[in-house]
Amino acid sequence: MKIRVIKNNKQIIKEAAMGADQLPDNYYIEISKKSDFITATYRVRDDDDFLGLAGEVSAVSLGNSCMDNVYAVSHAAVTIRGWGPMLYDVVMEALTEDNIALTSDRERVSTDAWNVWEYYLKRRSSELDSVRMDVSRETMANYYGMDEKSWPFTHLTKTEEDDCLQNTSLEWAAGEGDWMSTRSRDRKRAVQLSPRSASKWHEQPTSYAYVFKDKELPITTYLDMNSQIEYT
């Protein structure tokens, strides 16, 4: 998963996380929730689109491939830098209402996206619970083969209930995580050649899922008070 910044002929705002109080009055966020899918999208109410802002963040349920009640970001794109993180927060707040945690794409995370997850882990621990996810057998077999005895490291826990795909975390731990700059085979090779580094996958921000500690949901509440959020 990457945060994709789409250039256009509008003014590009410098990188900085924008807040709900900075969303222009003629914009709103549309939330679409299905049984196993959620999307938050910037919308404009009229043609007076002086900012040129568009973007969305989508997430899907990991279902039986991971822990219960975990969604993974599957797509993130914005036209102007700085407006992506608020969509992440809105998606996470909407999932928190249903006691669901949010995590990164399990196989591909760009540097920009990784920075968002690192910020969640290191700078927002007072607001968020970090849900530990273990490495799955599928992940280990992908890099080290099916024979568990040949694996250079193994699961954190004995139970399989917390096992999840951790390709992204192993590759970032091995130093070659950015899928936009490193080919898939080279990322895989880095994990195979650097098992000591890869074994620290659990220190990566992408190895966790995140959920708000309470359900006050400040961004959603603010936008709702200003008629800047709609549900479909």
Side-chain angles (χ1 to χ4, degrees), residues 24-75:
D25 292 341
N26 60 323
Y27 284 87
Y28 66 98
I29 294 177
E30 178 184 273
I31 298 177
S32 177
K33 293 175 71 174
K34 308 299 183 183
S35 60
D36 58 357
F37 183 84
I38 183 170
T39 300
T41 307
Y42 286 122
R43 301 292 189 194
V44 62
R45 297 189 189 281
D46 53 52
D47 294 330
D48 187 21
D49 183 11
F50 64 90
L51 189 61
L53 173 62
E56 70 173 30
V57 169
S58 301
V60 297
S61 171
L62 292 179
N64 296 327
S65 67
C66 188
M67 300 167 60
D68 292 337
N69 297 326
V70 174
Y71 277 46
V73 171
S74 56
H75 175 72

Side-chain angles (χ1 to χ4, degrees), residues 129-143:
D129 280 329
S130 302
V131 181
R132 162 54 63 210
M133 300 186 297
D134 203 353
V135 64
S136 67
R137 178 178 176 79
E138 178 185 355
T139 303
M140 296 300 294
N142 179 60
Y143 298 100

